[in-house]
Amino acid sequence: MFSQHNGDNMLAIVLSGGGAKGSYEMGVWKALKKLKIKYQIVTGTSIGALNGMMMVQNDFYKCLKMWETINYDVLYDNFTKVDTTQELYLTYLNKIVDGGIDTKKIEKLIEDNYRPNKIYKSKIQFGVVAFSLKNMNVIYATKKNTRPDKLKKYILASATCFPVFKPTKIGTDTLIDGGYYDNLPINLAIDLGATEIIAVDLGAIGLRKKIRDKKIKITYIIPNNKLDSFLMFDSNVTKRMINLGYNDTMKIYKKLEGNLYTFKKGTIFKLYYHYKANILKIIDNLDYVGNFKGFSNLKNPINKFTKIIEDTLEIFKIDVSKIYNSRKINKILLEKLEQTDDIEFEKFELGEIKKMFNSAIITKYIYQKLKNCDKINVVFNFFPKEFAAAIYLLALR
């Protein structure tokens, strides 16, 4: 399944830009190590250039520590602490108006971690993307065509997103983030000899070039969940995104399962066959079966059941970055159900219910009605996710 270097086959890791979202790429790297996937080429743009540098140097634990402890003080001078995302954006906007954030601290971060001996002695090919404002042209800086002192500068230029950060000067040239030309440098990897590619696309703003060679096998790793802001350099946030990157990669390679949530292999199958009879018994007595309609004779009931489980976890706002087994799922859900307020909805109209109450409260209401064999107001036909979740929770009893 996994690519190994045999003289002809060259696997490339391509890392996109995305600011703080780059912690997701750290999670991908963690999974690649777990899977023992070997790569011969790394290319990156913006934060992908910095992560790529660490990958070529094989500085896994140093990179992990960097992301797990990162904060605004590491990257900026005199950055005002904020409590909301809106305040954060306003702070950045003020910095942009003032000409951008000075890059001295990021330059020091790169300086402290840059190991040219490791990079240039490594058998792994490496390239980053920057953009020249002087010539209005892309610069592909590789260890094949760039001196060590200049490569460090190109990494800095690529990793500091303009206009949030000030541009980087190299001689008479002024350089900015390579995402202005190619935010996912697949073609650069092909130029370096890639025959197969794993491309990590963070979905950040930036241009993407048409792939030159359609015959190249490309495995895309794309976040299944919405990542936090590319400007949110907070260690709690980045730890979460590391987990998401790891989970999504392990799901791509069939070592874990799930879509928005992540489960140990076989978890959904186990839950489905353990609770199927209970669920069918409950819905046999219902006029309205919502999401469960046709549940017993679908071509792929496991897919439908996966969605029901994930919807239920989402309703109760369960942490999406963790890995769950069947026992843990049920324990958490029953605890959350117990903690949820009881509300009687008989006096409310549909619009009021949607506006005033959250999905967890609505789910518990339906659950209590089903449990007590009470008639359920027809209004709740408009809440199929909550209806399905309530049936699943009742089946656990």
Side-chain angles (χ1 to χ4, degrees):
M1 180 187 293
F2 305 135
S3 299
Q4 304 293 331
H5 184 36
N6 58 17
D8 296 318
N9 194 38
M10 297 280 282
L11 175 65
I13 309 298
V14 178
L15 305 172
S16 83
K21 296 180 182 183
S23 53
Y24 180 94
E25 294 174 341
M26 181 69 240
V28 173
W29 187 10
K30 182 179 177 182
L32 295 179
K33 282 182 69 69
K34 178 78 172 179
L35 295 165
K36 294 181 168 54
I37 294 180
K38 305 296 182 182
Y39 47 88
Q40 292 75 46
I41 301 166
V42 177
T43 63
T45 297
S46 194
I47 197 62
L50 177 56
N51 283 333
M53 175 190 86
M54 302 295 273
M55 290 184 76
V56 175
Q57 293 174 178
N58 198 29
D59 284 332
F60 175 82
Y61 293 103
K62 187 178 286 188
C63 192
L64 182 61
K65 182 179 179 181
M66 177 187 76
W67 279 115
E68 287 184 337
T69 59
I70 202 162
N71 57 55
Y72 299 108
D73 291 333
V74 173
L75 302 174
Y76 322 118
D77 282 320
N78 303 318
F79 197 86
T80 307
K81 188 179 184 300
V82 295
D83 297 318
T84 67
T85 303
Q86 185 176 359
E87 289 175 330
L88 178 66
Y89 287 151
L90 183 60
T91 299
Y92 275 110
L93 181 60
N94 290 332
K95 296 288 185 182
I96 291 171
V97 171
D98 289 339
I101 298 170
D102 192 278
T103 61
K104 285 181 180 178
K105 281 205 166 184
I106 295 182
E107 187 171 7
K108 185 179 185 307
L109 178 69
I110 294 172
E111 179 73 39
D112 289 345
N113 289 283
Y114 183 61
R115 299 290 180 266
N117 287 340
K118 281 188 174 184
I119 291 177
Y120 283 83
K121 287 180 180 178
S122 172
K123 293 181 180 179
I124 300 171
Q125 295 301 319
F126 179 50
V128 302
V129 186
F131 190 79
S132 167
L133 290 179
K134 179 181 178 181
N135 301 315
M136 296 305 291
N137 196 17
V138 66
I139 294 175
Y140 291 116
T142 72
K143 70 179 193 177
K144 280 185 174 182
N145 66 14
T146 312
R147 298 195 317 267
D149 58 327
K150 272 200 169 183
L151 182 60
K152 180 175 63 176
K153 283 283 192 179
Y154 286 125
I155 294 169
L156 172 64
S158 189
T160 47
C161 179
F162 178 81
V164 175
F165 294 94
K166 293 179 180 178
T168 299
K169 296 283 188 179
I170 300 182
T172 61
D173 205 352
T174 302
L175 302 175
I176 60 173
D177 186 342
Y180 281 88
Y181 183 85
D182 190 356
N183 204 40
L184 188 64
I186 290 174
N187 288 331
L188 175 57
I190 294 171
D191 289 342
L192 291 175
T195 59
E196 186 177 347
I197 291 170
I198 296 173
V200 187
D201 189 349
L202 299 174
I205 297 172
L207 299 176
R208 287 157 181 77
K209 294 301 173 186
K210 185 176 180 180
I211 298 168
R212 194 177 304 122
D213 187 347
K214 298 294 185 181
K215 294 179 182 178
I216 297 286
K217 178 186 175 184
I218 304 175
T219 300
Y220 286 96
I221 299 176
I222 300 170
N224 288 332
N225 295 275
K226 183 179 179 181
L227 301 182
D228 293 275
S229 169
F230 76 103
L231 299 172
M232 188 77 71
F233 289 96
D234 176 273
S235 59
N236 292 324
V237 171
T238 55
K239 285 176 185 177
R240 173 181 176 274
M241 289 195 281
I242 289 171
N243 289 342
L244 293 176
Y246 176 85
N247 295 347
D248 287 348
T249 306
M250 296 300 278
K251 285 185 278 190
I252 288 285
Y253 288 98
K254 311 299 182 186
K255 300 299 180 182
L256 295 170
E257 61 188 27
N259 297 310
L260 296 180
Y261 283 83
T262 306
F263 312 105
K264 289 187 175 180
K265 194 82 171 170
T267 294
I268 300 299
F269 184 87
K270 182 178 180 180
L271 287 171
Y272 173 73
Y273 281 100
H274 191 80
Y275 295 106
K276 177 183 175 182
N278 287 0
I279 290 170
L280 293 177
K281 185 177 179 181
I282 294 167
I283 64 177
D284 278 346
N285 297 320
L286 294 175
D287 294 328
Y288 173 73
V289 294
N291 255 13
F292 285 89
K293 188 174 184 180
F295 181 74
S296 60
N297 57 11
L298 288 173
K299 289 182 180 179
N300 195 338
I302 296 297
N303 284 352
K304 188 175 186 70
F305 193 68
T306 299
K307 186 175 188 314
I308 291 166
I309 297 295
E310 293 194 330
D311 283 347
T312 308
L313 290 168
E314 187 177 33
I315 283 169
F316 288 95
K317 295 180 170 56
I318 307 303
D319 188 348
V320 78
S321 71
K322 296 187 181 300
I323 300 171
Y324 298 96
N325 58 30
S326 56
R327 184 177 179 181
K328 191 173 183 180
I329 290 169
N330 292 342
K331 183 175 184 293
I332 290 173
L333 286 175
L334 289 174
E335 286 175 353
K336 288 289 186 179
L337 180 69
E338 185 68 26
Q339 295 164 8
T340 301
D341 293 336
D342 292 313
I343 297 289
E344 287 297 328
F345 287 105
E346 276 68 14
K347 298 178 180 180
F348 295 99
E349 298 294 331
L350 174 62
E352 293 176 309
I353 293 171
K354 286 185 174 181
K355 184 177 180 181
M356 295 173 62
F357 300 100
N358 64 41
S359 290
I361 292 174
I362 293 168
T363 299
K364 186 166 185 181
Y365 168 82
I366 298 172
Y367 168 86
Q368 295 285 16
K369 290 291 184 180
L370 292 173
K371 183 181 177 183
N372 298 328
C373 300
D374 294 337
K375 186 176 180 181
I376 300 175
N377 192 312
V378 70
V379 163
F380 290 91
N381 289 3
F382 294 96
F383 297 93
K385 282 172 56 174
E386 290 80 0
F387 213 110
I391 292 174
Y392 174 73
L393 291 167
L394 189 62
L396 300 183
R397 296 294 187 177

